[in-house]
Amino acid sequence: MHAMKHRHSRFTVIPRLAAAIVAGTLLAGCMAMDFAESEAPQLSRATVAEMSRKKMKPESPVLVRIFKQESELEVWKVDASGRYALFKTYPMCRWSGKLGPKTRAGDRQAPEGFYHVSAGMLNPKSQYYAAFNLGYPNRLESALGYTGDALMVHGACSSSGCYAMTDKGVGEIYAIVQGALRGGQGRFQVQAFPFRMTATNMARHSNDPSMPFWRTMKEGYDAFEFTRRQPKVSLCGGRYVFNAEFADGEPTDPLAACPAAKPIDDALVAKLDAERKKVDTALAASGSSPVSAYTDGGMHPSFRNILKRQGADRMAAQISGTKYPISRPEAALADPYEKFGF
């Protein structure tokens, strides 16, 4: 967690680094941006042009998906079809903890769950360049007694419970979500998963104690996969409930038994039931031991390769205008999932 550090705004920009970023020479696809402390990252002409090619508008709604195991963050936007389409996948530089939900302050866990981010949760002056707060703990997590705060998606490559995207990555993401919020989207949904929730991946982690929670999470994952529409998230029975209509209105107590409800989309129910059976079969057939978790989080292979070649100090200077070092680089180099091709 970076509870205190995110409340400060002063940071040092390396002039040569800033010039390289503005010139677009530091990393491929780097957006031009002004590092002035008083300004938030803005959409580049290249990003707007890419949206146009994909029949999206800067003000159209946005949705974010995060995958720990793959160390990737996806940005989705509503296109001309009226449904969400993938805009871009961003490699994640660092996350900490292991697969599984965050339950207490100080556990170094990056959260897993469904969150909703409003304009007031964006911080253009984060000490990690720019950031937005996930809103952990959400109402369900608070009711379950989970603790912690200030869990962010931010720049640099340092994590103690947050998702670190590098300055370049978070700058572009920040500008995209800010455009959607300014365009009228009241808040955008963030779905944070342990991995891409295929039946195969579920089977690989069949013995993990988080499996009951993950099976609930998969219902929301599948609802979006099948419909490309943002799932409606309700809270009752100590769990997430997706795309349900309740006769007496939305449940107010996340821990109380779920009242009578009916699904919003009957056709979707049939698809979800088929996927549930597919997972049941995969889990029953899985006789392997669970995949060992990272010793402390993960890093996208593209960044791990840079870390191997250049070392932690040079990499930190390359990817961020802040002075924050790579968090626990020796742990970032460990990759128990490499043999599975992740």
Side-chain angles (χ1 to χ4, degrees), residues 12-298:
T12 301
V13 175
I14 301 172
R16 187 169 59 184
L17 174 67
I21 293 176
V22 172
T25 60
L26 184 59
L27 290 171
C30 196
M31 64 177 288
M33 63 179 71
D34 186 351
F35 274 80
E37 184 176 343
S38 62
E39 297 181 10
Q42 301 297 312
L43 285 173
S44 68
R45 287 192 295 272
T47 301
V48 174
E50 186 175 355
M51 288 182 185
S52 181
R53 286 193 297 271
K54 295 183 177 181
K55 303 185 185 305
M56 302 168 180
K57 298 178 180 179
E59 65 272 18
S60 65
V62 68
L63 181 146
V64 171
R65 299 202 302 178
I66 296 171
F67 301 97
K68 283 183 177 176
Q69 181 171 276
E70 294 83 358
S71 293
E72 291 181 339
L73 181 150
E74 295 177 345
V75 172
W76 293 71
K77 283 185 70 66
V78 171
D79 65 9
S81 73
R83 296 179 184 243
Y84 279 97
L86 180 63
F87 174 68
K88 193 171 182 178
T89 300
Y90 297 83
M92 193 182 304
C93 197
R94 199 72 175 92
W95 59 273
S96 62
K98 61 182 181 179
L99 302 185
K102 181 177 185 65
T103 60
R104 60 183 176 81
D107 61 6
R108 292 187 62 78
Q109 281 289 94
E112 294 173 9
F114 284 75
Y115 304 94
H116 295 86
V117 179
S118 58
M121 298 163 72
L122 273 58
N123 182 6
K125 300 179 182 180
S126 168
Q127 208 165 343
Y128 292 80
Y129 178 53
F132 62 82
N133 193 322
L134 289 172
Y136 172 92
N138 60 27
R139 284 203 308 118
L140 174 60
E141 292 161 336
S142 292
L144 291 170
Y146 296 176
T147 58
D149 63 0
L151 279 300
M152 307 276 181
V153 173
H154 62 59
C157 195
S158 177
S159 171
S160 182
C162 295
Y163 291 109
M165 302 301 303
T166 78
D167 291 6
K168 176 190 79 75
V170 80
E172 186 169 307
I173 295 165
Y174 186 105
I176 292 170
V177 301
Q178 179 177 247
L181 293 173
R182 286 177 173 173
Q185 185 177 13
R187 58 181 189 165
F188 65 92
Q189 189 175 93
V190 178
Q191 306 171 3
F193 298 108
F195 41 74
R196 297 187 186 280
M197 307 200 82
T198 64
T200 299
N201 275 346
M202 298 287 280
R204 283 175 176 152
H205 298 278
S206 59
N207 296 324
D208 195 289
S210 295
M211 183 54 63
F213 171 66
W214 289 343
R215 294 206 66 167
T216 297
M217 291 274 288
K218 181 167 167 56
E219 295 173 14
Y221 173 90
D222 289 336
F224 182 74
E225 286 285 299
F226 290 137
T227 68
R228 293 293 188 255
R229 297 187 185 279
Q230 176 175 302
K232 174 180 176 287
V233 181
S234 303
L235 308 174
C236 59
R239 54 163 285 171
Y240 297 111
V241 177
F242 302 98
N243 294 338
E245 289 183 339
F246 299 89
D248 297 324
E250 281 295 297
T252 58
D253 183 349
L255 302 184
C258 291
K262 63 178 181 179
I264 293 175
D265 185 342
D266 290 332
L268 175 60
V269 171
K271 293 180 180 179
L272 294 176
D273 284 342
E275 184 66 19
R276 192 177 298 110
K277 292 175 183 177
K278 185 177 178 181
V279 173
D280 288 341
T281 300
L283 291 176
S286 175
S288 60
S289 299
V291 178
S292 298
Y294 285 106
T295 54
D296 183 18

